[in-house]
């Protein structure tokens, strides 16, 4: 019992000694029990700081930063759909140039040909590895689809196919759509559509 009383008296002294002087002023430097918490090597937002040449602690966002909650621009280029509707756009929202097709050919070879084959006929290398149903891009059902639907399929996937939006940026996805159209045309065009000076080469 005596020890308990002595301990209690000591504890009271310690508590009063530490807590009792809180808020009091003193000329002596304060005791910092955890100095690394009092003084953290970090920058506080909206404060001056000499660390960066412009003297500001807050940094400008990296160019191209998309703010959280920033409204997604409802344009055909971003969505493949007619703005304000769920209808797919009929044609590409970008001008079709030789450079676009060349880019599309390259990207198609990288991202699509393993499954769909270099010609888009669905006979890619993965069919040999057991992938049974791969869409044949020359299927009339797919030829009739609007450009926006192809864009949607390759962006977000369809049935067994996964989406490639995270892997391929928007402009490249449209380049691929343009190239898929060129592939389809390569099987559908008539001889009359080929420029006269090139027809001979084809008939050989
Ligand atoms: C990993 C294999 C794989 C890759 C890579 C792939 N696809 Fe597919 N794709 C499929 C399969 C499988 C289907 C058939 C899906 C089904 O109907 O179940 C398909 C179907 C399609 C269709 C037809 C969709 C429909 O309306 O039925 C289109 C168009 C298409 N792919 C375009 C592309 C394009 C463009 C790329 C390149 C960006 C691509 N795919 C890459 C496997 C792939």
């Amino acid at each position: 019992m005596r020890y308990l009383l002595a301990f209690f008296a000591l504890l009271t002294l310690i508590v009063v000694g530490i807590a009792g002087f809180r808020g009091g002023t003193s000329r002596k430097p304060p005791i910092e029990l955890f100095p690394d918490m009092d003084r953290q090597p970090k920058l506080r937002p909206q404060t001056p700081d000499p660390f960066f040449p412009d003297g500001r602690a807050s940094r400008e966002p990296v160019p191209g930063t998309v703010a959280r909650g920033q409204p997604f621009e409802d344009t055909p280029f971003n969505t493949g759909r007619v703005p304000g509707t769920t209808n797919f756009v009929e044609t590409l929202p970008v001008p079709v140039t030789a450079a676009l097709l060349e880019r599309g050919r390259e990207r198609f070879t990288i991202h699509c040909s393993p499954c769909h084959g270099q010609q888009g006929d669905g006979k890619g290398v993965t069919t040999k590895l057991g992938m049974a149903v791969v869409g044949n891009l020359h299927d009339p059902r797919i030829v009739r689809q609007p450009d926006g639907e192809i864009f949607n399929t390759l962006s977000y996937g369809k049935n067994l196919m996964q989406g490639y939006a995270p892997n391929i940026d928007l402009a490249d996805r449209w380049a691929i759509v343009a190239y898929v159209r060129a592939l389809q045309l390569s099987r559908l065009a008539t001889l009359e559509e080929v420029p006269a000076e090139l027809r001979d080469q084809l008939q050989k």
Side-chain angles (χ1 to χ4, degrees):
M1 192 65 190
R2 231 183 324 144
Y3 287 121
L4 187 72
L5 281 178
F7 175 74
F8 189 71
L10 195 67
L11 191 73
T12 314
L13 263 178
I14 292 174
V15 169
V16 171
I18 293 176
F21 293 104
R22 275 187 67 93
T25 49
S26 159
R27 287 178 171 275
K28 296 199 188 109
I31 303 163
E32 290 176 316
L33 290 183
F34 299 108
D36 54 338
M37 289 192 75
D38 284 337
R39 300 167 199 288
Q40 300 177 14
K42 70 176 183 192
L43 302 179
R44 288 178 189 275
Q46 310 288 345
T47 55
D49 195 287
F51 185 78
F52 289 106
D54 64 0
R56 293 186 295 176
S58 296
R59 310 313 305 153
E60 294 274 332
V62 178
T65 303
V66 179
R68 259 180 182 240
Q70 180 172 314
F72 181 68
E73 244 184 291
D74 184 15
T75 59
F77 184 75
N78 284 340
T79 61
R81 291 171 197 262
V82 179
T85 72
T86 52
N87 300 340
F88 294 118
V89 287
E90 237 7 92
T91 52
L92 293 175
V94 289
V96 180
T97 59
L100 185 84
L101 287 172
E102 184 47 43
R103 177 80 184 166
R105 190 187 62 78
E106 186 201 52
R107 297 289 112 181
F108 180 92
T109 307
I110 294 170
H111 294 287
C112 319
S113 72
C115 296
H116 289 282
Q118 192 69 73
Q119 301 180 15
D121 51 10
K123 299 201 180 95
V125 69
T126 51
T127 52
K128 297 198 185 77
L129 301 172
M131 191 177 276
V133 243
V134 177
N136 173 0
L137 303 181
H138 299 284
D139 186 331
R141 182 179 60 80
I142 296 171
V143 173
R144 276 195 301 269
Q145 287 175 351
D147 289 351
E149 187 166 357
I150 308 262
F151 171 84
N152 192 74
T153 301
L154 80 89
S155 298
Y156 308 111
K158 186 164 178 182
N159 303 334
L160 287 177
M161 182 180 138
Q162 69 165 46
Y164 286 86
N167 307 40
I168 314 174
D169 74 22
L170 281 165
D172 282 346
R173 277 182 254 155
W174 285 115
I176 292 176
V177 174
Y179 184 67
V180 167
R181 288 302 186 215
L183 278 180
Q184 291 171 341
L185 196 62
S186 74
R187 295 214 176 163
L188 296 173
T190 57
L191 195 58
E192 285 66 46
E193 285 170 328
V194 178
E197 63 273 22
L198 296 176
R199 272 180 217 164
D200 291 349
Q201 291 181 21
L202 278 181
Q203 275 170 325
K204 268 180 204 159

